[in-house]
Amino acid sequence: MDIPEDYRAGFACFVGRPNAGKSTLTNALVGAKIAITSGKPQTTRHTVRGIVHRPDAQLVLVDTPGLHRPRTLLGERLNEQVRATWAEVDVIGFCIPADQQIGPGDKYIAQQLAEVRRTPKIAIVTKTDLMGKQSVGEQLLAVLELGKEVGIEWAEIVPVSAVGDAQVGLLADLLVKQLPPSPPLYPGGELTDEPEQVMVAELIREAALEGVRDELPHSLAVTVEEMLPRKDRPKDKPLLDVHATLYVERPSQKSIVIGTGGSRLREVGTQARRQIEALLGTPVFLDLHVKVAKDWQRDPKQLQRLGF
């Protein structure tokens, strides 16, 4: 690959309150699904890196958990992840949805961002496909005022729709403009540096979050115990055995995940298997089990065992 003299490479991170569209935007920019998305807040729990390859630049996007006022040890650790990421990136994108008024959560994050003095910040008004032009314009003005209120001078303010693919390319240009001159940081073709087992666990968790009661998202964790090619299979008919465990905090939640006669867990398995096969490009046999790990979000030992 011939690298132009003005080639840039570096890291950008998206922050915002839960469900502000950060993961959907990351996937849209990368052009592939590398971060799970859900209508439930607090879906992202790991710092996922997505890599955008361009002729003039390599943009490494860091999708972080939503910053929030923590109520558990897990919440505190997720917030620590976010702040550690801010200290390491070249530009921060603050995502504020167009369809919701700026609230205390946005102000809390903006105040935290104001303390990160040297890193340029781009305000991104997301989900513009859900609102008319006038409402989007009013939100852009509100974002400008928010910056003045907390002492942030936005490098840019840009409205985007990841779902409608509106101004996603412009946002990429604006992020790249803030990166330092540098050769590529990752080999061409790589879309993420996330380990496959972590991505598989996240896809299972995403499938399990669909259509469940509001109490479940925070209480659900998934670990992949084993991923091995099935022995004695013909080369033209490979099969990958994936054994995973879904952890919840209470027996009542276990019943929700499993469903009547195991119906819900079968649906989760079918949906997750399709996503995993698309990710890995191979047929998969998915074996799921559900266990109770009482109050794991508040227990340091259990948090460590579950990867937090």
Side-chain angles (χ1 to χ4, degrees):
M1 173 181 169
D2 291 326
I3 299 170
E5 277 186 28
D6 57 350
Y7 193 91
R8 294 171 180 268
F11 294 86
C13 97
F14 292 142
V15 301
R17 58 187 155 93
N19 213 15
K22 301 180 295 295
S23 297
T24 306
L25 192 53
T26 297
N27 292 339
L29 282 158
V30 174
K33 180 169 184 166
I34 58 112
I36 72 169
T37 57
S38 167
K40 309 287 182 192
Q42 293 300 115
T43 302
T44 302
R45 282 196 186 145
H46 296 275
T47 322
V48 179
R49 284 191 176 91
I51 305 158
V52 182
H53 299 276
R54 297 169 32 133
D56 61 334
Q58 189 179 79
L59 174 63
V60 185
L61 297 167
V62 187
D63 181 33
T64 59
L67 192 72
H68 60 294
R69 294 188 188 277
R71 296 193 184 97
T72 63
L73 183 57
L74 172 65
E76 287 173 20
R77 291 197 177 170
L78 294 182
N79 276 358
E80 284 167 13
Q81 266 186 36
V82 176
R83 290 194 180 93
T85 302
W86 292 358
E88 295 168 357
V89 297
D90 301 295
V91 55
I92 296 170
F94 181 20
C95 295
I96 299 170
D99 63 332
Q100 296 170 40
Q101 285 192 333
I102 290 174
D106 299 305
K107 288 178 183 173
Y108 171 70
I109 295 169
Q111 286 161 353
Q112 304 289 314
L113 279 178
E115 294 174 17
V116 187
R117 303 235 173 250
R118 294 184 183 176
T119 312
K121 300 158 196 78
I122 293 176
I124 306 164
V125 174
T126 60
K127 307 186 184 186
T128 57
D129 54 298
L130 300 178
M131 303 302 287
K133 283 186 179 178
Q134 185 176 337
S135 298
V136 171
E138 287 168 3
Q139 188 75 321
L140 293 170
L141 289 172
V143 169
L144 182 65
E145 285 304 311
L146 175 64
K148 289 177 182 173
E149 188 182 318
V150 299
I152 296 175
E153 187 176 340
W154 304 115
E156 308 279 355
I157 302 176
V158 58
V160 301
S161 166
V163 173
D165 196 25
Q167 305 225 106
V168 173
L170 172 64
L171 175 60
D173 291 342
L174 297 175
L175 291 166
V176 163
K177 198 167 87 172
Q178 302 294 338
L179 302 182
S182 165
L185 304 168
Y186 290 88
E190 274 194 25
L191 297 181
T192 181
D193 65 353
E194 191 79 352
E196 281 183 351
Q197 283 198 211
V198 173
M199 292 188 74
V200 166
E202 288 290 88
L203 289 172
I204 295 167
R205 192 163 65 89
E206 179 183 47
L209 286 174
E210 287 304 312
V212 295
R213 291 179 208 166
D214 290 341
E215 65 169 345
L216 196 56
H218 308 293
S219 302
L220 186 67
V222 179
T223 59
V224 172
E225 318 298 340
E226 201 172 53
M227 276 174 56
L228 290 171
R230 178 82 59 91
K231 290 180 181 176
D232 307 323
R233 294 280 294 194
K235 281 192 177 178
D236 60 338
K237 290 187 177 176
L239 185 67
L240 184 69
D241 285 319
V242 178
H243 300 277
T245 304
L246 291 80
Y247 289 94
V248 291
E249 293 190 296
R250 295 189 296 279
S252 60
Q253 294 169 337
K254 183 176 179 179
S255 304
I256 293 169
V257 175
I258 293 173
T260 308
S263 58
R264 174 91 191 100
L265 191 60
R266 282 195 294 275
E267 282 174 25
V268 170
T270 302
Q271 190 175 331
R273 192 186 73 250
R274 284 197 206 105
Q275 296 276 8
I276 295 164
E277 287 177 341
L279 173 73
L280 302 179
T282 186
V284 166
F285 171 78
L286 181 58
D287 176 42
L288 298 179
H289 294 271
V290 185
K291 292 183 180 178
V292 176
K294 191 167 183 266
D295 293 332
W296 65 263
Q297 292 184 79
R298 294 171 171 79
D299 183 339
K301 283 185 181 174
Q302 293 200 85
L303 279 173
Q304 191 170 6
R305 186 164 56 83
L306 294 172
F308 298 105

